[in-house]
Amino acid sequence: MDSKTKLRKAGLRPTKQRIAIADILFNGINRHFTAENLHNDIIQSGKQMSLATIYNCLNKFKNVGLISHLQSLGETYVFDTNVEHHHHFFNEKTGELIDFRPGDIHVKKFPKLPKGYKSSGIDIIIKLIEKN
Amino acid sequence: MDSKTKLRKAGLRPTKQRIAIADILFNGINRHFTAENLHNDIIQSGKQMSLATIYNCLNKFKNVGLISHLQSLGETYVFDTNVEHHHHFFNEKTGELIDFRPGDIHVKKFPKLPKGYKSSGIDIIIKLIEKN
DNA sequence: AAGTAGATTAGAATTGTTTTAAAGTAAAAA
DNA sequence: TTTTTACTTTAAAACAATTCTAATCTACTT
Ligand SMILES: [Mn+2]
Ligand SMILES: [Mn+2]
Ligand SMILES: [Zn+2]
Ligand SMILES: [Zn+2]
């Protein structure tokens, strides 16, 4: 499916800029990227586009489910007085974080690691919403 | 152990500001907080301290292991063309992210959730370093 | 007590993201 | 097809989080 069709189906107007972005993003290979990354790619390809447009488009794409964004713990740097290795519950409504001990969770099956690498740690976030 | 001693043991000069911060942070109850949170607490308590000092102190505290900070995926907003639920390998050296499917990991024992809450999802990050 | 390395501070700088408001464009209406 | 309308792009400004600068201050050493 071409980018124009894809955008229309998602309920977005296929503007020149959105098509250019979709052409880069939806070539079949998944990728992780920042607004700046994408902007560089576009500029490099000889096109011109304002960074604000990149943000506008990516936020639209995200809202209609064409892309996602990685769960980060909010926009700011969060410190923790707990210096032991531990994991977190994350209250989605309030943003509150609660610790739990690594011993309270047990990972049985482990994914195959990329060749030449070993695990240096694992971070688990369990998101919470109110029951009922 | 009082804050002054604690700071000395950690190899930090016990300045007025660091003692005030340590008094708040190391009262026995673990907490998650931002620089701004802490700054507000300090101002609220009638003391004066520059936000730059808060950052300086927290970064020092972190360097000597008195506090930690939550693993976030770098400082910028990371988008993902993969809109399915999935987890990530995180290359600690390069910052590169690689997807793995939820089916490739299996969590056997689950921590007890806070009363009145249910899980709305889980995010797992496996950190990677080069072997050898 | 004096000297020195290290710490604090206000304010400037930097970075990442959003907002503003004017000009441009795609879709709908006529 | 023209006109109209709503939506989009853009440069520039605003905003938010964090770090840097350089002057002043303070804790430790001698
Ligand atoms: Mn970037
Ligand atoms: Mn805050
Ligand atoms: Zn914690
Ligand atoms: Zn991913």
Side-chain angles (χ1 to χ4, degrees), chain B:
Chain B
M1 189 188 346
D2 71 333
S3 294
K4 194 177 258 188
T5 312
K6 184 159 184 135
L7 290 166
R8 280 233 174 75
K9 277 203 177 174
L12 296 178
R13 286 192 180 177
T15 63
K16 183 159 59 81
Q17 291 82 352
R18 287 174 182 170
I19 290 167
I21 292 176
D23 282 346
I24 290 176
L25 295 186
F26 309 123
N27 67 352
I29 297 162
N30 280 328
R31 58 160 76 186
H32 305 98
F33 60 99
T34 65
E36 186 67 28
N37 292 156
L38 181 58
H39 190 231
N40 290 340
D41 287 357
I42 284 176
I43 297 302
Q44 215 104 41
S45 82
K47 295 195 185 73
Q48 156 58 23
M49 198 179 306
S50 121
L51 188 53
T53 300
I54 303 274
Y55 277 106
N56 289 342
C57 291
L58 291 178
N59 285 327
K60 288 279 183 183
F61 283 21
K62 182 175 52 132
N63 291 340
V64 300
L66 286 176
I67 62 175
S68 61
H69 76 106
L70 295 199
Q71 166 88 15
S72 83
L73 304 159
E75 56 303 321
T76 51
Y77 205 83
V78 179
F79 294 92
D80 195 337
T81 56
N82 188 347
V83 294
E84 306 297 314
H85 174 242
H86 65 284
H87 304 298
H88 292 98
F89 293 117
F90 175 67
N91 185 322
E92 298 217 63
K93 185 130 144 232
T94 65
E96 187 198 10
L97 290 158
I98 301 171
D99 294 347
F100 67 87
R101 282 164 301 143
D104 289 342
I105 195 163
H106 186 253
V107 176
K108 199 170 65 176
K109 185 182 165 194
F110 228 73
K112 192 158 176 286
L113 305 188
K115 215 181 207 33
Y117 287 89
K118 63 180 178 186
S119 167
S120 56
I122 179 166
D123 283 312
I124 300 176
I125 295 169
I126 296 178
K127 292 176 279 183
L128 299 177
I129 54 175
E130 282 170 61
K131 214 184 271 175
N132 309 324

Side-chain angles (χ1 to χ4, degrees), chain A residues 34-37 40, chain B residues 76:
Chain A
T34 64
E36 186 67 28
N37 292 156
N40 290 340
Chain B
T76 51

